[in-house]
Amino acid sequence: MGKMKLDDLKKLREEKRKELSRRDPDKRKEIVIGMGTCGIAAGAKETFDAFLDECDKQGVTDIVMKQTGCMGLCHSEPTVEIKMQGIPDIVYGKVDPEVARKIVRKHLIDKALVNDHIYDKPAADIMGEETEGKE
Amino acid sequence: MHATLSDSLLDLIQNAHEAGAHSIIVTIKQRSSHMEFSIADDGCGMESEVLARISDPFSSDSAKHASRRFGLGLPFLKQGIEQCAGTFDIRSEPGVGTSICFALDSNHIDAPPVGNLVSTIVSALCMCDSAELVCVRSYENRSYTLRRSELVEVLGDLATTESLCAIRTFISNAEENLSSGET
């Protein structure tokens, strides 16, 4: 392929927009990936790529990708929080590329939780810090 | 600690973003097997006492978690670069910003693999939503430059999966042309 210019980039995005059907036009979904040192070391970059790939492959639209720093769940990185209307915000842990694809198919499309990967408790030292703050 | 230099690069960009930078300039230069990376930001910078401790893995600014006492990204990168006879330099000034440069021969037997630069750049463009991220990538005498503001002008919201997929194709194309010789 010859070198792409910015106009080609715009056309590419418009083609993708037309190809994909809109499932929930007013309901944006967020995929928030932990991309602190711990997340990156655990493979969060590959997890990010897998989410992108699978959303594109499945034709899932209205997805916004966000990245956050360390959430204190270093022991279960890569961690991903999914936010979408109709389901409570869920933090998933140990999300490798295969689990990422499963989350797209099960959680985002079928609206069913991937139960064996739900992690919502920070590490003990962080929990202690938060508890001290409340005393 | 990080598997590849691309992972370390993303870690450093994340640091710059968390330091409140409005401008982050990333350069990746390659001549034969010699590679140079630099990240310059205008974030909050570091006091000299903090800068003196950056190679200590048991030191962090505690900004994220007050009870945590380690920051591993920079110490492990510095160690990895120095172990393959590379060079590592960091300068910082409070209220001005931070600049990190490191260089190595990627053919050195102890050199970490470069990894997936395209993936790192796509992720960085998505991450740095409050900064102008500029990435200058060169291979021999050929180069390309990406500016986040230009991509936003063309695509709108960069955080959507459609925009990110398009950007990924665009950058992969630029990398292929860099290697094949088309400018």
Side-chain angles (χ1 to χ4, degrees), chain A residues 2-4 13 20 26 29 38 59 65-66 75-77 80 96 110 115-116 132:
Chain A
K3 191 179 178 186
M4 286 177 74
R13 184 170 184 270
L20 302 171
D26 297 321
K29 306 169 196 73
C38 48
M65 303 282 294
K66 287 188 175 175
H75 53 89
S76 49
E77 292 286 356
V80 176
D96 62 15
D110 295 339
N115 290 315
D116 49 354
E132 278 168 27

Side-chain angles (χ1 to χ4, degrees), chain A residues 86-131:
Chain A
I87 299 182
D89 295 347
I90 299 288
V91 176
Y92 288 108
K94 298 197 191 294
V95 182
D96 62 15
E98 188 186 327
V99 175
R101 293 178 191 275
K102 196 171 173 184
I103 290 171
V104 172
R105 292 189 300 266
K106 249 189 119 174
H107 189 129
L108 294 178
I109 296 175
D110 295 339
K111 294 187 180 152
L113 301 184
V114 181
N115 290 315
D116 49 354
H117 278 271
I118 296 176
Y119 283 70
D120 58 1
K121 284 204 172 64
D125 57 339
I126 308 297
M127 286 283 283
E129 171 191 311
E130 290 174 359
T131 305

Side-chain angles (χ1 to χ4, degrees), chain B residues 41-58:
Chain B
D41 70 67
D42 64 353
C44 59
M46 290 180 271
E47 300 281 350
S48 52
E49 307 84 59
V50 174
L51 189 59
R53 294 198 311 264
I54 61 107
S55 53
D56 177 1
F58 299 103

Side-chain angles (χ1 to χ4, degrees), chain B residues 131-173:
Chain B
E132 168 69 313
L133 177 69
V134 177
C135 179
V136 182
R137 164 77 164 123
S138 69
Y139 180 79
E140 299 299 336
N141 59 347
R142 299 180 291 278
S143 69
Y144 67 85
T145 299
L146 297 166
R147 288 178 195 281
R148 194 178 192 278
S149 55
E150 280 182 354
L151 295 170
V152 170
E153 210 175 295
V154 170
L155 298 174
D157 186 356
L158 294 195
T160 63
T161 49
E162 295 96 317
S163 290
L164 290 168
C165 284
I167 288 169
R168 188 173 58 182
T169 303
F170 187 73
I171 300 173
S172 296
N173 172 268

Side-chain angles (χ1 to χ4, degrees), chain A residues 35-80:
Chain A
M35 204 66 83
T37 301
C38 48
I40 296 170
K45 209 153 76 22
E46 286 70 37
T47 299
F48 181 99
D49 288 343
F51 270 113
L52 211 55
D53 266 343
E54 193 67 18
C55 286
D56 188 37
K57 186 174 143 188
Q58 299 291 342
V60 184
T61 59
D62 302 308
I63 303 284
V64 167
M65 303 282 294
K66 287 188 175 175
Q67 292 160 82
T68 184
C70 174
M71 293 190 279
L73 288 159
C74 311
H75 53 89
S76 49
E77 292 286 356
T79 52
V80 176

